[in-house]
Amino acid sequence: MSLLQEWRDYAYAYDMQSQSGQMFWANYFNLEKGVYQTLLANSDKVYEGTVEDLAKEFDLELKYFVGFLDGVNDSLVTPNPIEEMDKDTKVSLAYDKEKLYYNMVGAKADWLYGLEEWDSLLSEERRKELYKEQKASGTVVKGKKIGRNDPCPCGSGKKYKRCCGANA
């Protein structure tokens, strides 16, 4: 079983509605926050190494570090092979700061996108733009509704009610 599957089996076995589940996730999110604070505060440094070595460097148990890798992977310059990695897999934490901020907003992780370390990486104006972009990306915009007596959009020249609308 891959490290990622082990992490998911372990973490998602906790019921979010239970007190133990809430405590587990609160603890995990606090550990995750510490890793992000280190990464953002040292933005010039690219953390690279084996999964096990980086877990030690960030003072995390291997399973928690794998959880972190699962969360950050979509924000990396080059995603890591998290599906098949083991403790000796070499990984990189080189991240795209705008993509990372955008994804944090998308995950509704205000404890992460609200970190003061962002102040030196992205201007307040740019963070507001990324926030708005992310929020707008989830907005569904419906097209103009076709009326019964409007021409059918299929191009037949018939009224919608006599063409494709008759099948609806």
Side-chain angles (χ1 to χ4, degrees):
M1 183 183 306
S2 73
L3 286 177
L4 181 63
Q5 191 57 52
E6 286 178 31
W7 159 253
R8 289 179 176 168
D9 289 348
Y10 173 75
Y12 296 111
Y14 284 93
D15 177 10
M16 284 295 290
Q17 305 308 316
S18 71
Q19 185 176 2
S20 64
Q22 291 175 2
M23 289 176 59
F24 167 79
W25 285 105
N27 179 54
Y28 170 75
F29 291 144
N30 194 44
L31 294 171
E32 179 186 52
K33 179 180 176 181
V35 176
Y36 278 116
Q37 285 175 312
T38 301
L39 281 177
L40 298 174
N42 301 297
S43 62
D44 294 336
K45 180 177 179 177
V46 176
Y47 291 87
E48 294 179 319
T50 66
V51 175
E52 186 174 48
D53 290 343
L54 287 174
K56 286 178 186 172
E57 186 168 347
F58 286 101
D59 197 26
L60 287 178
E61 287 182 49
L62 186 62
K63 62 185 167 193
Y64 290 110
F65 189 69
V66 170
F68 169 78
L69 288 174
D70 187 21
V72 77
N73 209 46
D74 290 340
S75 303
L76 299 177
V77 175
T78 304
N80 291 310
I82 61 171
E83 295 291 336
E84 60 269 350
M85 71 183 171
D86 61 30
K87 65 184 181 79
D88 298 318
T89 303
K90 292 203 183 288
V91 294
S92 171
L93 299 181
Y95 61 92
D96 177 319
K97 59 188 172 192
E98 290 191 358
K99 192 188 289 187
L100 180 60
Y101 188 85
Y102 181 90
N103 289 338
M104 286 176 171
V105 171
K108 298 180 178 143
D110 55 340
W111 66 95
L112 297 176
Y113 68 79
L115 291 170
E116 65 183 40
E117 284 81 2
W118 282 110
D119 295 346
S120 62
L121 296 175
L122 296 172
S123 69
E124 186 175 345
E125 182 179 291
R126 183 62 186 142
R127 284 180 284 166
K128 284 180 181 178
E129 289 170 6
L130 290 167
Y131 185 90
K132 286 180 183 176
E133 280 176 36
Q134 190 356 276
K135 293 301 182 183
S137 73
T139 305
V140 177
V141 180
K142 291 185 177 180
K144 182 181 177 281
K145 185 174 178 179
I146 303 166
R148 291 173 30 90
N149 291 314
D150 289 342
C152 191
C154 75
S156 67
K158 297 179 184 178
K159 288 185 179 184
Y160 179 67
K161 69 181 178 185
R162 299 266 184 223
C163 189
C164 295
N167 300 327

